């Protein structure tokens, strides 16, 4: 398994464009995304070792992210009637 270099994550922004500056919140976001990246990397490498197409693995990972649900969303921008 490869050891990917440390990721510099973006500045986290609120919906109004203001920066999330709380050190503890930024720390939690960094830890979460570091973990997600490692899990996704592991899944990609496992798929490749099992001879799954890299293109298909990347498409599946993108689709997984696209299917995440925001349980806190007040006004649904995506209609379930599409």
């Amino acid at each position: 398994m490869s050891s990917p270099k440390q990721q510099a994550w973006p500045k986290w922004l609120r919906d109004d464009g203001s920066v999330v500056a709380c050190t503890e919140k930024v720390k939690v976001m960094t830890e979460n995304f570091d973990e997600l990246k490692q899990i996704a990397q592991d899944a990609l490498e496992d798929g490749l070792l099992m001879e799954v197409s890299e293109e298909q693995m990347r498409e599946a990972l993108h689709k997984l992210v696209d299917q995440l649900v925001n349980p806190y969303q007040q006004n649904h921008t995506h209609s379930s009637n599409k």
Side-chain angles (χ1 to χ4, degrees), residues 37-49:
K37 182 179 180 183
Q38 188 58 58
I39 291 168
Q41 182 68 45
D42 291 347
L44 175 66
E45 291 176 16
D46 287 348
L48 296 174
L49 286 171

Side-chain angles (χ1 to χ4, degrees), residues 64-79:
L64 181 136
V65 170
D66 291 342
Q67 292 174 343
L68 295 175
V69 174
N70 176 356
Y72 308 108
Q73 190 171 0
Q74 299 287 327
N75 300 316
H76 297 284
T77 56
H78 298 291
S79 172

